[in-house]
Structure formats: C-alpha cells, structure tokens
Amino acid sequence: MSFVLAGKRVYVAGHRGMVGQALVRRLASEDCEIQTAPREIDLRDQAAVRTWFSANAPEVVIVAAARVGGIKANDSRPAEFLYDNLMIEANIIEAARQHGCRKLLFLGSSCIYPRMAPQPIREDSLLTGPLEPTNQWYAVAKIAGIMLCQSYRRQYGCDFISAMPTNLYGPGDNYDPDGSHVVPALIRKASTAKANGDAALTVWGTGTPLREFMHVSDLADGCVFLLEHYSAEGHVNVGSGREIAIADLARLIAGIVGFAGRVEFDASKPDGTPRKIMDGTMMADMGWAPRIDLRDGLADALEDYRARFE
Ligand code: GFB
C-alpha cells in the first residue's frame, strides 16, 4: 500500500511547536504543498477551525497541535491538558471528516499506556491498567484522540490513523524551567551552571526512572512513512528502542555541554513512570527505523539551545 503525498495539500496543525517544525522541514522534500494556520486561529474554537478548513481545503492533515509539557506542567495544570487537547483534536478530526480529507495522522504520546505496563510496551497494552497520575489528564485526552480516529474509520470510512511517539527532544524545544521536558531542562540547567561556575546542578527526582528518547527529526520521518504506508485502526508506536536512566542522561548532557560539576538529585520532586520504553516491532516490520543516535541528537539540541538563548 502506498499513499502519495506529492501534489497534495498537507496541513500541519501545530507548525510552531517542536514536532510541527520538524514535520515542515521533513515534508519540504515530499513535493507537496505544506499548509499552516496563522497564530490567530484558536484550534480549540470549533467555528474557527471549520472556517479555516473551508478556506484552505487540506487533503492531508497531521495533528501535531497539542497542549504539551513535562512532568510538572502536566501535574499542575490538569484542566488545560485535558480540555485543550480534547478540543483541539475533536475540532480538527471532525473538520477533516466534513471536508473529505483523504488522510489524517493523529499524534499521541507514550503516556497513554498504563503506568505498570509490561516493558517494552506493546500497542495492545492500551487500557489494560491504571495510568501514571502525573500525566493521566493528558493521557486520557490522547486516548480519546486515538478512539476518535478509530470511530471515524468505522462509521465514516475515513482513512484516519494514529502514531504514539516516545519522549522527544530536538530543535525548537521548549526550555522553560517549569514547563519543559527533561532533555531541554537539563540542557538549560547544565549550560547555566557552566556559565555561572556552579559546583552542582540539580536533577528532579531520584534519577532512577528509565526513559526512551528520540530526536524529533526521526519522528517526522516516521510520520511521513506512516502516512505513505499505513492504513489501519490500530495506533503505532514510534520510538528509538533505546532507554537510559535519568541520572545517566544528566551526566551525558553535562558532558556534552562541558559542565564538570556535580549532578545532585532532589528526591522531593516526582519521578513519574518508573520505566517507559515502547515496543517498536510494528514500525520495524513495516521497514522503518530511526537514524539519530542519542549523543548526536543531544549535540544537535544543544546547538539549537545555544543559537536561540546564548
Ligand atoms: O520529561 P519529563 O518531564 O516527562 O520527565 P515524563 C522525565 C523524568 O525526568 C522524570 C525527571 O522522572 C522527571 O522527574 N527530571 C529530572 C526532570 N530533572 C528534570 C527537570 O529539570 N525537568 C523535567 N521536566 N524533568 C511526560 C508527560 O512524562 O512525558 C507528558 O508528563 C508526555 O504528558 C511526555 O507524555 C512525553 O516522561 O515523566
């Protein structure tokens, strides 16, 4: 099976975010017309989304727009993470159906899976156990997005599919200390500690949680691959297949940044899920593999941080 992107109007919802920027970069080599909506369009507003779809008639849609953030943002702003994500995905998916879009890719997150899911986490672990409390609000919204795509396939015959990326990092990331994910947070902490000549940097939690990280350009490539080669109800994991403990990640980032001080841990901060590595068999069996190794990817992210903030 092969869906052709060339010549089609492809709407990247969320083009200002890290994932959306990577999709725009990747799609530039696909000979398609990339569409983005201006900042004034509030994707939580159903009428605004419908009007934009009527005026621009996208043929393919990638739902990379979302309220996202790291463990603290998820835990402290539960209503925003649930409401905003439900509204954004429902409005875009329904508008795509109304306007007869040929294909839609919805992006979720590995946090949709139960906190204690068997590892590596297979796609069929969904809804087999309780969620991780720190990000259950975001997870429920993303699970609803998967279900929307599945239900629209069944009831309306829409070719809507879902991908679940692992923890992502890369150019265009959010470096806000309270809102960010761990990779940008540690790049900033190590860079600041180095610049200030500090003796130590502080990592949240115990340092023992295991996470799988993937460079956002690999995700963008996986998305294009799925649009072209996948059409089925089940959501698909997209990961790197490599995991690392947060303590080791902190030391690796400190080394790449050139911060030679101590790495300390603040165990009063939450660890979140103890381990989260996804099973990538579905993507591998279809013939796709990520390419960017963690060390090279982190060096690229650091370059982005320095270009933007130093
Ligand atoms: O990246 P992160 O915020 O997200 O945190 P999750 C990963 C791990 O890094 C946690 C630790 O164990 C954090 O306690 N950590 C250490 C830090 N230092 C820091 C720091 O300075 N900042 C941050 N942010 N973390 C998110 C979900 O979970 O994963 C989202 O909350 C989403 O909904 C995302 O699913 C992919 O991996 O814990």
Side-chain angles (χ1 to χ4, degrees), residues 23-209:
L23 284 164
V24 169
R25 286 195 301 273
R26 175 63 185 78
L27 286 166
S29 54
E30 289 301 311
D31 205 19
C32 56
E33 181 188 332
I34 302 168
Q35 298 182 314
T36 58
R39 183 182 292 274
E40 302 76 68
I41 306 288
D42 182 346
L43 298 174
R44 297 167 301 182
D45 176 347
Q46 188 182 51
V49 172
R50 276 193 192 163
T51 305
W52 189 86
F53 267 73
S54 296
N56 294 278
E59 296 165 288
V60 179
V61 176
I62 308 178
V63 188
R67 167 79 56 203
V68 298
I71 191 164
K72 183 173 179 187
N74 269 265
D75 205 20
S76 55
R77 287 154 44 207
E80 275 174 59
F81 277 79
L82 184 52
Y83 176 82
D84 289 356
N85 286 309
L86 285 172
M87 295 304 284
I88 291 167
E89 70 203 21
N91 289 339
I92 296 174
I93 289 169
E94 172 62 4
R97 175 192 75 81
Q98 287 177 344
H99 290 84
C101 291
R102 303 266 303 276
K103 189 125 195 172
L104 176 143
L105 172 63
F106 172 71
L107 290 175
S109 160
S110 58
C111 73
I112 59 161
Y113 293 115
R115 171 181 164 84
M116 299 313 280
Q119 311 276 328
I121 313 173
R122 285 163 33 136
E123 285 85 352
D124 60 10
S125 290
L126 184 63
L127 296 173
T128 55
L131 297 165
E132 155 62 30
T134 53
N135 57 33
Q136 57 183 322
W137 322 95
Y138 181 71
V140 164
K142 289 296 181 182
I143 293 169
I146 297 174
M147 296 296 207
L148 276 171
C149 292
Q150 291 179 348
S151 65
Y152 276 53
R153 288 186 82 87
R154 286 196 190 183
Q155 189 173 341
Y156 304 122
C158 298
D159 189 358
F160 292 180
I161 60 173
S162 302
M164 296 306 116
T166 190
N167 286 41
L168 302 168
Y169 67 92
D173 215 335
N174 166 18
Y175 294 91
D176 172 64
D178 284 338
S180 72
H181 290 101
V182 64
V183 169
L186 292 177
I187 286 177
R188 180 173 170 156
K189 282 180 182 175
S191 301
T192 309
K194 182 184 173 194
N196 294 344
D198 294 341
L201 71 76
T202 305
V203 174
W204 294 351
T206 59
T208 58

